[in-house]
């Protein structure tokens, strides 16, 4: 019988609602779920193809151990025993700093972090790495300074804006906003709304823009400085807003006053000055919002560019307001506060790098493994990410994995990372378990969806990632023996469980710190899911703003609150609005006076130092590598490294390198022939695709190539062409500006 089950897509951070028709425990058909209050039926071709990510020939069904050049099946008992013993031995011999955990950044499910981080901390380490720190470090750092504390992030609110600026963001292909294509179509159809695209090339989004600022690659700093100067020059700044909501502008203003905007725009950015003035007017004088993305995040000057984007928003009154840049409502913050000015904040031993929102950057992990310092990383747990394809410098990562004394990979597939790991532990896929992500961005209402399993686990031996990490914690003796009544209490309901837990902690206050683990163990047992128990834990520990917001939605505020909300979550597999945040968005700031702290001391000098002349000089291309490789377009034929089976793109051309027509003529290349691309890191041969989507002087390779499926490798792995040194001061990779040369074969 046909049965449609509700779930969500796990292939990008939008997590669009999906309905799946399941037959014989296989996903047969997929459609957008109209009942999902945020995505409202929207989904893209990736979501429609999600069955390939779940049902594929590379699924892992049991624990495996590396023996020589291959892996062999072992039992769970052996796996947990050997790994935990090895970990304790490494800690005994080398101390806590030998451990790192990399995970929790997946766009599908993140409850694992609740246990993964505690496992790391129980071992005494804070070296938590996640993909968040290979794109967002700069903006999260700036967000932290401006808000007075790290942990909350800001986001654009384009659905309620009239002018939307896509700055280094190709939304038509990458989404990154709810219902992106619908949004772009709505703007096109409405003469009062406009789309401005700042992108060197004619991207699919730029093609649909009212104004396309096709700037010379890497010149965003000069464009931003020019726009701020143009605003001042025309007195377009919002003085009343600045007065009421912004601190520090007085000291910043002089940095822009004498800037030669016209010369910067024409000589550095190679743009039409009148067009830039018009775009700036729309940003300043209409209900505007700016969505910046990888064109900014993974590019030169990312820190000051993100800073100037916030300055632009602040002085035009577009910060903490509807349709501008906002703090989303939250059940739990995106991360912790790991301010590097605090001497207690851990740093890495090789690069002395600090975490941002508690997260260390994957670009430097190979270096942190491959060094002689007594405290270098020796043991790594990787979960739900694929560093051997996703993070820069695959060749360095390969060496690093070889040097590790212990590598453990929690996966659903025989990924490139799994292939090099000492142990592979089989996870349930996101369609086989309960989970959620922290990408429930909305304001003032808080959207929440706990995905429910649509399939019976494909293997009896697979487990939730969090459950696996809990097994390791127990095997290492980090969890005390717990009374039977705690295991049983959850069967009588959450309120009854929380009562029992309260009594237990009263008698055993020494265990207060590990309450979430005790819940994972005992409530997880009663509910049959560690992840569900962790979600209950989040509700228990939720912020005051959330609790007030939940009360505003009609939830009880007494001891039955958690159970009532949790039951409602269970009853809404399509997701629901859980809380309505009260007061205005400025309330979310962590500054004492609830004003935007616009002056960032450390960035004043770099801002001053970025002049027209200094920029012209540093934009000069190295003679040996006269072109720019855009390493990793997030194109509609890519789903990061989640779709290993190339079948889903079978009628499409995707394993190519985009080249501009003039460059192709100059290099003597024809469409379809193979060319060689050479970078400092390596070289590769790849099919040329002459494309109007490529800017002159740039070539583009799609992200997610070089995956091995069923023993065969498809496409070029672009991270082999990137060196870990191609990174900025926050250790984010410079994937949008890898110097290269292209040769005819
Ligand atoms: N279909 C699909 N969608 C995805 C993903 C996927 O794999 N496939 N992955 C998801 C993930 S994890 C992410 S982070 C997002 C990324 O989403 P995007 O950031 O939209 O992805 P990119 O393809 O890198 O697009 C960045 C744009 O920046 C432009 N750019 C390059 N250099 C410069 C420059 O110097 N200045 C400016 N202003 N722009 C420049 C590029 O031409 C490009 O059009 O996509 C998400 N969505
Ligand atoms: N050169 C270059 N590199 C890039 C980029 C680029 O633009 N250029 N983009 C970067 C960006 S923005 C991002 S976000 C990263 C993403 O890179 P990663 O953080 O590695 O994320 P994914 O590629 O999504 O990897 C997901 C892994 O999790 C596994 N997985 C899928 N579902 C499940 C599950 O249910 N359980 C478990 N345990 N595992 C599962 C998949 O098999 C896969 O191996 O890539 C980055 N890499
Ligand atoms: S936009 Fe993202 S979440 Fe939505 S269907 Fe496409 S890949 Fe999935
Ligand atoms: Mo990403």
């Amino acid at each position: 019988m046909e049965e449609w089950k509700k779930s969500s897509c796990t292939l990008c951070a939008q997590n669009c609602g999906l309905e799946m028709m399941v037959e014989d425990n296989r996903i047969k058909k997929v459609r957008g779920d109209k009942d999902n209050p945020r995505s409202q039926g929207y989904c893209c071709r990736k979501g429609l193809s999600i069955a390939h990510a779940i049902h594929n020939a590379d699924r892992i069904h049991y624990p495996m151990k590396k023996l020589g050049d291959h892996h062999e099946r072992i039992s769970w008992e052996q796996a947990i025993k050997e790994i935990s013993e090895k970990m304790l031995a490494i800690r005994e011999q080398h101390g806590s700093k030998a451990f790192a955990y990399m995970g929790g950044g997946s766009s599908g499910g993140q409850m694992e972090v609740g246990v993964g981080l505690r496992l790391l901390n129980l071992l005494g380490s804070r070296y938590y790495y996640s993909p968040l720190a290979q794109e967002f470090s700069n903006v999260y750092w700036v967000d932290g300074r401006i808000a007075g504390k790290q942990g909350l992030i800001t986001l654009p609110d384009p659905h309620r804006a009239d002018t939307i600026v896509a700055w280094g963001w190709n939304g038509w292909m990458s989404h990154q906003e709810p219902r992106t294509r619908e949004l772009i179509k709505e703007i096109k159809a409405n003469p009062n709304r406009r789309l401005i695209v700042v992108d060197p090339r004619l991207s699919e989004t730029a093609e649909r823009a009212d104004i396309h600022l096709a700037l010379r690659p890497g010149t965003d700093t000069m464009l931003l400085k020019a726009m701020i100067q143009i605003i001042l020059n025309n007195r377009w700044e919002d003085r009343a807003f600045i007065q009421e909501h912004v601190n520090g502008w007085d000291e910043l203003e002089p940095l822009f006053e004498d800037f030669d905007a016209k010369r910067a725009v024409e000589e550095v950015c190679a743009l039409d000055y009148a067009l830039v003035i018009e775009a700036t007017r729309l940003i300043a004088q209409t209900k505007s919002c700016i969505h910046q993305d990888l064109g900014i995040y993974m590019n030169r000057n990312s820190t000051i560019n993100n800073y100037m984007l916030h300055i632009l928003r602040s002085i035009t009154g577009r910060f903490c307001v509807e349709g501008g840049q906002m703090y989303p409502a939250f059940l739990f913050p995106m991360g912790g506060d790991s301010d590097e000015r605090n001497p207690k904040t851990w740093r890495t031993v090789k690069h002395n790098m600090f975490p941002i929102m508690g997260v260390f950057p994957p670009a430097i992990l190979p270096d942190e493994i491959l060094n002689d310092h007594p405290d270098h990383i020796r043991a790594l747990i990787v979960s739900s990410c694929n560093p051997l394809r996703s993070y820069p410098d695959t060749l360095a990562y390969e060496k690093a994995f070889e040097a590790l004394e212990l590598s453990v990979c929690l996966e659903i597939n025989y990924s490139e990372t799994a292939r090099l790991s000492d142990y592979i532990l089989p996870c349930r896929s996101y369609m086989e378990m309960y989970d959620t992500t922290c990408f429930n961005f909305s304001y003032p209402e808080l959207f929440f969806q706990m995905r429910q399993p649509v399939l019976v686990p494909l293997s009896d031996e697979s487990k939730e990632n969090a459950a696996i990490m809990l097994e390791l914690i127990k095997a290492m003796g980090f969890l005390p023996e717990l009374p039977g009544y705690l295991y049983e209490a959850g069967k009588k309901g959450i309120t009854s469980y929380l009562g029992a837990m309260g009594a237990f902690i009263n008698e055993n206050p020494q265990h207060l710190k590990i309450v979430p683990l005790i819940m994972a163990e005992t409530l997880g047992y009663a509910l049959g899911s560690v992840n569900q128990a962790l979600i209950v834990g989040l509700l228990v520990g939720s912020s005051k703003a959330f609790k007030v917001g939940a009360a505003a939605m009609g939830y009880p505020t007494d001891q039955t609150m958690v159970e009532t909300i949790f039951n409602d979550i269970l009853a809404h597999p399509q997701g629901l609005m859980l809380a309505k945040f009260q007061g205005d968005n400025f309330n979310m700031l962590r500054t004492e006076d609830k004003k935007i702290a616009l002056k960032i001391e450390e960035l004043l000098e770099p801002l001053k130092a970025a002049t027209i002349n200094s920029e012209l000089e540093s934009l000069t291309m190295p003679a040996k590598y006269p072109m720019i490789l855009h390493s990793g377009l997030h194109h509609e034929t890519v789903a990061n490294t989640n779709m290993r089976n190339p079948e889903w793109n079978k009628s499409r051309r995707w394993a190519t390198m985009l080249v501009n027509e003039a460059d192709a003529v100059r290099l003597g290349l024809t469409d379809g022939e193979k060319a060689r691309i050479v970078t400092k890191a390596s070289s590769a041969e790849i099919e040329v695709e002459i494309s109007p989507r490529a800017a002159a002087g740039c070539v583009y390779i799609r992200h997610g190539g070089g995956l091995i499926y069923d023993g065969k490798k498809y496409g070029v792995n672009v991270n082999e062409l990137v060196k870990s040194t191609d990174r900025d001061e926050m250790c984010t990779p410079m994937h949008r500006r890898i110097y290269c040369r292209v040769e005819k074969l």
Side-chain angles (χ1 to χ4, degrees):
M1 205 193 70
E2 273 196 10
E3 191 187 357
W4 287 90
K5 294 185 177 173
K6 287 185 185 298
S7 180
S8 83
C9 178
T10 53
L11 297 175
C12 91
Q14 286 313 307
N15 299 145
C16 298
L18 295 180
E19 287 187 301
M20 301 185 185
M21 204 250 276
V22 175
E23 239 180 65
D24 301 330
N25 208 33
R26 282 187 79 90
I27 299 166
K28 291 284 175 176
K29 287 185 198 159
V30 177
R31 65 186 181 203
D33 182 5
K34 293 198 176 80
D35 295 335
N36 180 299
R38 195 173 53 164
S39 59
Q40 299 168 16
Y42 180 84
C43 71
C44 76
R45 70 174 292 263
K46 282 196 291 172
L48 295 175
S49 311
I50 198 168
H52 283 293
I54 308 299
H55 306 290
N56 71 67
D58 280 340
R59 282 296 301 265
I60 294 194
H61 299 292
Y62 37 75
M64 290 197 275
K65 178 179 179 177
K66 193 156 191 255
L67 290 166
D69 61 355
H70 69 288
H71 284 93
E72 282 185 10
R73 179 175 189 165
I74 56 172
S75 69
W76 267 112
E77 292 70 32
Q78 185 185 347
I80 296 293
K81 183 169 183 292
E82 288 184 11
I83 296 168
S84 56
E85 283 176 1
K86 187 100 209 212
M87 283 185 164
L88 289 176
I90 290 174
R91 191 177 65 149
E92 178 72 29
Q93 207 184 341
H94 302 290
S96 299
K97 292 196 166 170
F99 296 93
Y101 157 49
M102 174 181 264
S106 158
S107 54
Q110 293 162 349
M111 281 307 100
E112 63 161 272
V113 191
V115 182
L117 268 187
R118 286 184 172 88
L119 167 61
L120 190 66
N121 294 165
L122 287 167
L123 285 163
S125 172
R126 290 177 193 269
Y127 289 134
Y128 171 43
Y129 287 78
S130 119
L132 287 180
Q134 48 99 51
E135 45 185 327
F136 302 120
S137 291
N138 287 284
V139 72
Y140 288 175
W141 184 87
V142 172
D143 273 344
R145 283 291 198 276
I146 282 194
K149 196 176 174 192
Q150 287 175 0
L152 296 186
I153 59 162
T154 63
L155 287 171
D157 181 25
H159 284 276
R160 292 184 279 196
D162 292 333
T163 297
I164 289 91
V165 186
W167 202 310
W169 169 49
N170 185 17
W172 188 263
M173 283 293 171
S174 68
H175 308 278
Q176 301 278 76
E177 290 291 350
R179 293 171 276 119
T180 305
R181 288 194 180 182
E182 296 306 319
L183 171 74
I184 292 172
K185 285 187 220 158
E186 282 164 25
I187 299 169
K188 215 133 187 77
N190 184 339
N192 298 319
R193 298 180 81 193
R194 289 176 194 82
L195 176 65
I196 300 174
V197 173
V198 186
D199 195 315
R201 70 191 184 102
L202 184 66
S203 68
E204 291 78 0
T205 310
E207 186 183 286
R208 292 164 171 87
D210 297 282
I211 296 180
H212 176 199
L213 298 178
L215 78 177
R216 177 179 167 198
T219 61
D220 305 82
T221 307
M222 289 295 101
L223 181 58
L224 280 160
K225 250 190 166 172
M227 283 184 163
I228 295 171
Q229 203 285 328
I230 290 168
I231 288 171
L232 297 179
N233 199 29
N234 289 284
R235 298 183 193 281
W236 286 337
E237 71 273 28
D238 187 338
R239 286 279 158 194
F241 182 92
I242 297 172
Q243 178 77 22
E244 199 178 341
H245 298 297
V246 181
N247 276 331
W249 172 237
D250 308 350
E251 283 170 84
L252 288 168
E253 195 171 354
L255 298 183
F256 299 93
E257 272 168 347
D258 297 325
F259 186 66
D260 189 346
K262 185 163 190 295
R263 184 175 160 227
V265 165
E266 292 177 351
E267 262 183 53
V268 187
C269 310
L271 289 171
D272 177 64
Y273 190 50
L275 197 61
V276 171
I277 293 180
E278 176 55 7
T280 311
R281 186 189 68 78
L282 289 166
I283 291 172
Q285 299 205 317
T286 67
K287 213 174 157 194
S288 70
C289 93
I290 306 171
H291 178 132
Q292 77 261 34
D293 222 304
L294 297 185
I296 287 285
Y297 297 146
M298 292 183 166
N299 214 333
R300 60 190 298 276
N301 295 347
S302 185
T303 320
I304 54 171
N305 288 349
N306 281 294
Y307 185 34
M308 280 195 283
L309 282 162
H310 275 357
I311 294 176
L312 192 56
R313 293 168 176 129
S314 300
I315 64 169
T316 53
R318 305 303 304 149
F319 215 106
C320 292
V321 295
E322 251 187 46
Q325 185 81 358
M326 302 191 86
Y327 290 94
F330 63 99
L331 176 58
F332 51 101
M334 275 282 279
D337 181 29
S338 56
D339 194 323
E340 75 283 0
R341 292 168 297 189
N342 180 343
K344 285 194 182 144
T345 300
W346 274 37
R347 297 199 171 228
T348 64
V349 298
K350 168 82 180 169
H351 288 290
N352 197 33
M353 183 59 197
F354 48 83
I356 294 165
M357 281 194 351
V359 184
F360 287 93
I364 56 167
L365 182 57
D367 278 359
E368 299 297 337
I369 296 170
L370 296 167
N371 69 71
D372 296 333
H373 194 288
D375 287 340
H376 72 255
I377 305 284
R378 296 164 198 267
L380 176 66
I381 300 179
V382 177
S383 177
S384 316
C385 61
N386 189 8
L388 266 295
R389 275 301 171 274
S390 300
Y391 307 145
D393 213 335
T394 308
L395 302 176
Y397 257 105
E398 282 171 359
K399 279 193 210 126
F401 263 66
E402 228 165 84
L404 283 169
E405 287 173 32
L406 175 67
S407 48
V408 183
C409 183
L410 280 63
E411 253 294 348
I412 60 165
N413 291 326
Y414 198 41
S415 70
E416 292 68 24
T417 303
R419 281 162 194 271
L420 293 194
S421 297
D422 298 333
Y423 294 89
I424 311 173
L425 302 178
C427 296
R428 291 185 181 171
S429 81
Y430 297 128
M431 296 306 135
E432 298 154 48
M433 64 180 187
Y434 297 88
D435 212 331
T436 189
T437 69
C438 59
F439 303 131
N440 35 3
F441 304 131
S442 52
Y443 191 89
E445 284 163 328
L446 174 76
F447 172 76
F448 191 85
Q449 181 181 22
M450 176 171 77
R451 224 176 315 100
Q452 304 191 8
V454 296
L455 301 171
V456 175
L458 302 192
S459 154
D460 290 343
E461 296 207 25
S462 66
K463 296 179 198 258
E464 295 168 308
N465 321 34
I468 296 173
M469 293 194 264
L470 190 60
E471 288 299 315
L472 289 172
I473 287 175
K474 287 192 284 183
M476 286 189 283
F478 291 138
L479 202 66
E481 190 147 335
L482 297 164
Y485 72 84
L486 274 185
Y487 288 88
E488 294 308 314
K491 294 185 179 161
K492 290 184 224 120
I494 306 258
T495 309
S496 143
Y497 174 83
L498 293 177
M501 182 63 158
F504 174 74
I505 289 300
N506 260 341
E507 277 170 40
N508 302 277
Q510 74 277 18
H511 295 324
L512 185 64
K513 264 188 144 165
I514 52 163
V515 163
L517 288 180
I518 299 176
M519 285 181 71
E521 167 70 8
T522 56
L523 184 60
Y525 165 81
L527 300 176
S529 157
V530 170
N531 281 356
Q532 280 198 52
L534 290 167
I535 290 172
V536 172
L538 289 177
L539 289 169
V540 173
S542 61
S543 66
K544 189 168 162 234
F546 171 80
K547 291 192 176 94
V548 173
M553 294 294 268
Y555 288 112
T557 48
D558 59 13
Q559 76 280 7
T560 63
M561 181 190 101
V562 172
E563 177 155 3
T564 313
I565 296 182
F566 189 70
N567 287 341
D568 225 12
I569 291 174
L570 272 174
H572 291 81
Q574 71 274 39
L576 73 169
M577 296 301 185
L578 270 194
K580 185 163 186 193
F581 273 49
Q582 304 294 298
D584 59 28
N585 203 247
F586 297 100
N587 263 334
M588 308 283 260
L589 288 163
R590 311 289 185 86
T591 48
E592 264 174 31
D593 55 3
K594 299 284 177 199
K595 283 192 178 188
I596 300 162
L598 202 55
K599 182 183 157 196
I600 302 180
E601 199 68 55
E602 297 94 320
L603 297 187
L604 300 187
E605 228 6 83
L607 257 192
K608 252 187 245 166
T611 63
I612 294 178
N613 290 339
S614 73
E615 282 293 282
L616 281 172
E617 198 183 314
S618 51
L619 283 160
T620 316
M621 303 291 293
K624 251 178 99 180
Y625 302 108
M627 295 185 84
I628 294 170
L629 164 65
H630 182 119
S631 68
L633 269 185
H634 289 243
H635 188 259
E636 67 182 352
T637 52
V638 182
N640 286 0
T641 71
N642 286 291
M643 300 282 240
R644 318 188 69 79
N645 183 349
E647 184 75 7
W648 79 292
N649 280 324
K650 70 169 181 270
S651 56
R652 291 169 192 248
R653 204 175 167 195
W654 62 271
T656 57
M657 173 169 76
L658 306 187
V659 184
N660 173 285
E661 179 145 26
D663 288 325
V665 169
R666 186 173 51 80
L667 294 163
L669 300 173
T670 51
D671 191 89
E673 79 173 271
K674 278 205 167 181
R676 180 182 296 113
I677 172 160
V678 187
T679 64
K680 259 188 305 180
S682 174
S683 71
E685 289 178 16
I686 184 166
E687 182 186 323
V688 168
E689 178 177 348
I690 297 177
S691 168
R693 303 251 175 258
C698 300
V699 293
Y700 304 78
I701 299 180
R702 291 171 187 83
H703 172 46
L707 298 183
I708 301 165
Y709 180 64
D710 210 6
K712 189 169 175 249
K713 183 173 167 185
Y714 295 88
V716 166
N717 163 22
V718 78
N719 279 313
E720 231 174 88
L721 292 168
V722 182
K723 264 199 147 2
S724 82
T725 45
D726 296 318
R727 62 171 190 265
D728 66 15
E729 64 278 12
M730 297 283 177
C731 299
T732 41
M734 213 89 84
H735 287 313
R736 299 300 165 261
R737 195 177 180 85
I738 303 299
Y739 295 128
C740 71
R741 67 172 182 272
V742 174
E743 297 167 350
K744 194 175 168 67
L745 285 179

